[in-house]
Amino acid sequence: MKKQRIVIYGIGNRGQLFLKFSDKRNIEIVGIVDLNKAGTIFQGIEVSSPSELLNMHYDKVVVTPYHNEDILRYLMETCGIKKEKIVVGIEIEKEFILNRISEYKYVLFIDEEDYLEYLYHELGEAESFVMLDLLNDKEKWEFTGKTDLTEHIFIFGIYDYITYNNNGFFQYLKQGFPNSKTVMILYDICDGANGFETIIPGFSVERLKSEFDLVITYHSQEAKKHNLMYMMYPYPQSKQMSQDKNIVSDILFVGQAKDRLSLLHEIYIRATEMELKCHFFIVGVNKEEQLVESDIIYNTRISYQEYLKEVLSTRCILEICQQGDETSFRYLEAVIFNKRLLLNDKNAIHLEYYKPDNIQIFDGVDDIDFSLIKEDKVDYNYQGDYEPRKFIDFLDAYFMK
């Protein structure tokens, strides 16, 4: 079969991915155009200015940028290229993703959040698992264990699903792999003023349940209300994270101020009066609302890896859940890294590793016994219940029912 002659428009991350896997397609790359990178060379091909399209011979132009309205107008109006000769957006992902994932059993579509990257990174030892961040044009990892498969398990976060559903790819994926199973993991609450139903137009739990074979939430009350699967997130007991870090703080908080700033400030003041060292990183605080003469770090975001270093070097993690929310990651971090936990989630008493000496539940600052924070080391006797490998085993067992 004669190869199609292709010109790539845009050699950013998506363009480079397309070029990287072009040898797996029945195509020939005859040119690359990019206004900002003209004159550079990628894989032996010199990048030209888009104006050079008028002098090229090709069958199709593949437009790789997501924001491409101006590019399409330029190609059709200035260059006179017919619409049928232009391939854009989802058509690139369809071919690339279907070819890319067909050899893997577990495919995790995930966004840029680095804490999610950390949660699943140790699944490198799991057979036939790949994690893709295609919304941000990246492959997170490619692991060994490829096999020829007819059944797949596709795992989504909510924002990835919305994007793929809006552009038609989600249905395309299910049609391309009719024997596949789809899993939605909700990393935040659905109901209330801070939930998905408020911040995401058209969001519906019932729609998710009809679209996915399994919907998982960490929120026990919403699981009961909406008949979802209740489960704590997978969380690795990383071998790379040493427990022998020097303790440099007594209480750690990292997060947005939202409606909890006054309580955070009250806890900080009371703790410092008790001669406890607080490391507070609070984002979203106007200058006039900040505590003067404090060592609180305002409006500085830290990566999840930087946050974990803070966790390992503190005695106690502070979590203030928003109204209607329940604890998840802070609880997991406390249990796995043997840290005390201060939080305002009354449902925490039902958690598997809840111990009142290790986990203090409070309504206000007067409920907190600050004297416990510097007591002997904590040991939850964690048994590895939340390991990512066990999550994969659970999926296998669930879909074999």
Side-chain angles (χ1 to χ4, degrees):
M1 182 185 296
K2 184 180 178 181
K3 290 187 175 183
Q4 274 200 321
R5 296 169 299 171
I6 299 294
V7 173
I8 300 175
Y9 193 116
I11 198 64
N13 288 326
R14 289 174 85 216
Q16 291 177 46
L17 272 180
F18 187 86
L19 182 62
K20 178 180 177 181
F21 291 97
S22 61
D23 60 341
K24 297 183 179 181
R25 301 173 169 94
N26 187 41
I27 62 176
E28 177 187 1
I29 306 298
V30 296
I32 302 172
V33 297
D34 190 309
L35 183 62
N36 298 318
K37 297 179 181 177
T40 59
I41 295 177
F42 283 89
Q43 295 189 18
I45 303 173
E46 183 175 357
V47 181
S48 303
S49 170
S51 61
E52 292 297 316
L53 276 167
L54 298 171
N55 303 318
M56 294 181 178
H57 301 283
Y58 51 84
D59 298 306
K60 300 275 187 182
V61 177
V62 173
V63 178
T64 63
Y66 274 114
H67 304 291
N68 51 38
E69 292 84 1
D70 291 340
I71 295 173
L72 297 180
R73 191 178 303 112
Y74 170 79
L75 293 177
M76 290 187 284
E77 295 179 4
T78 303
C79 298
I81 301 173
K82 294 181 179 179
K83 186 176 181 179
E84 55 266 26
K85 294 192 71 172
I86 302 172
V87 181
V88 298
I90 190 58
E91 296 304 320
I92 301 171
E93 270 74 18
K94 283 180 179 179
E95 181 183 359
F96 167 70
I97 297 175
L98 293 191
N99 289 333
R100 178 71 181 81
I101 68 179
S102 61
E103 299 169 310
Y104 295 92
K105 180 172 183 179
Y106 313 101
V107 182
L108 180 65
F109 294 94
I110 208 156
D111 61 23
E112 186 72 355
E113 298 289 352
D114 59 350
Y115 68 87
L116 298 179
E117 183 175 329
Y118 173 79
L119 295 193
Y120 294 98
H121 79 280
E122 292 197 358
L123 275 176
E125 299 175 0
E127 73 169 316
S128 201
F129 177 93
V130 67
M131 179 174 176
L132 301 177
D133 177 14
L134 294 164
L135 299 186
N136 292 287
D137 314 328
K138 296 178 182 177
E139 294 173 89
K140 289 297 187 186
W141 304 284
E142 177 180 354
F143 295 141
T144 57
K146 296 182 181 180
T147 52
D148 292 327
L149 296 165
T150 57
E151 296 183 2
H152 305 264
I153 297 177
F154 300 130
I155 307 168
F156 283 82
I158 186 65
Y159 293 108
D160 303 81
Y161 159 70
I162 290 170
T163 299
Y164 288 129
N165 191 55
N166 287 344
N167 62 27
F169 179 74
F170 183 71
Q171 292 301 325
Y172 184 90
L173 186 70
K174 295 176 75 172
Q175 292 168 8
F177 298 98
N179 296 321
S180 67
K181 302 297 182 182
T182 54
V183 179
M184 165 61 67
I185 303 180
L186 295 169
Y187 292 100
D188 215 329
I189 58 175
C190 297
D191 302 332
N194 300 308
F196 290 135
E197 67 175 14
T198 300
I199 63 178
I200 299 177
F203 176 87
S204 164
V205 176
E206 292 306 312
R207 178 181 175 183
L208 285 185
K209 290 167 62 177
S210 67
E211 291 273 6
F212 285 84
D213 298 294
L214 176 63
V215 180
I216 296 172
T217 179
Y218 69 95
H219 197 290
S220 63
Q221 299 305 307
E222 288 191 353
K224 293 176 183 177
K225 176 181 176 180
H226 298 293
N227 194 26
L228 307 176
M229 174 65 69
Y230 169 71
M231 177 186 294
M232 272 293 169
Y233 304 132
Y235 199 101
Q237 192 171 19
S238 176
K239 300 172 185 176
Q240 301 173 1
M241 291 293 174
S242 170
Q243 293 289 343
D244 298 324
K245 295 281 185 182
N246 292 327
I247 298 299
V248 298
S249 71
D250 297 305
I251 305 177
L252 171 68
F253 175 84
V254 177
Q256 296 188 44
K258 297 185 178 178
D259 57 358
R260 50 196 174 184
L261 182 61
S262 60
L263 181 54
L264 284 168
H265 282 168
E266 285 183 53
I267 294 172
Y268 174 86
I269 293 170
R270 186 71 62 86
T272 52
E273 288 174 349
M274 299 285 292
E275 298 185 346
L276 297 174
K277 178 66 175 176
C278 296
H279 277 198
F280 282 22
F281 299 78
I282 311 177
V283 176
V285 185
N286 296 326
K287 189 171 183 179
E288 59 271 18
E289 297 177 302
Q290 299 176 11
L291 280 184
V292 295
E293 297 183 0
S294 76
D295 55 2
I296 295 175
I297 299 175
Y298 292 102
N299 302 326
T300 298
R301 296 182 182 275
I302 62 175
S303 70
Y304 194 68
Q305 290 294 332
E306 291 171 323
Y307 167 73
L308 285 178
K309 292 177 182 178
E310 292 284 341
V311 169
L312 293 175
S313 60
T314 195
R315 288 189 171 89
C316 178
I317 301 169
L318 169 64
E319 177 171 28
I320 302 178
C321 297
Q322 297 181 86
Q323 184 175 3
D325 203 357
E326 297 180 9
T327 185
S328 55
F329 287 117
R330 303 296 88 90
Y331 162 74
L332 292 168
E333 293 152 2
V335 169
I336 290 170
F337 298 118
N338 284 318
K339 304 295 176 179
R340 297 190 188 279
L341 180 63
L342 293 176
L343 81 164
N344 62 341
D345 171 20
K346 294 181 179 180
N347 289 303
I349 62 172
H350 303 297
L351 295 172
E352 183 173 0
Y353 287 95
Y354 171 76
K355 294 180 181 179
D357 290 340
N358 298 339
I359 299 177
Q360 285 194 62
I361 300 174
F362 64 89
D363 282 325
V365 67
D366 292 332
D367 300 323
I368 300 173
D369 186 350
F370 290 97
S371 65
L372 292 176
I373 291 174
K374 282 194 173 183
E375 287 198 356
D376 293 338
K377 288 185 177 180
V378 176
D379 186 1
Y380 289 88
N381 192 28
Y382 175 59
Q383 301 298 309
D385 307 68
Y386 309 123
E387 284 295 307
R389 177 68 257 178
K390 291 192 175 182
F391 174 63
I392 294 297
D393 291 341
F394 163 79
L395 293 180
D396 284 341
Y398 181 86
F399 289 122
M400 285 179 62
K401 290 190 301 184

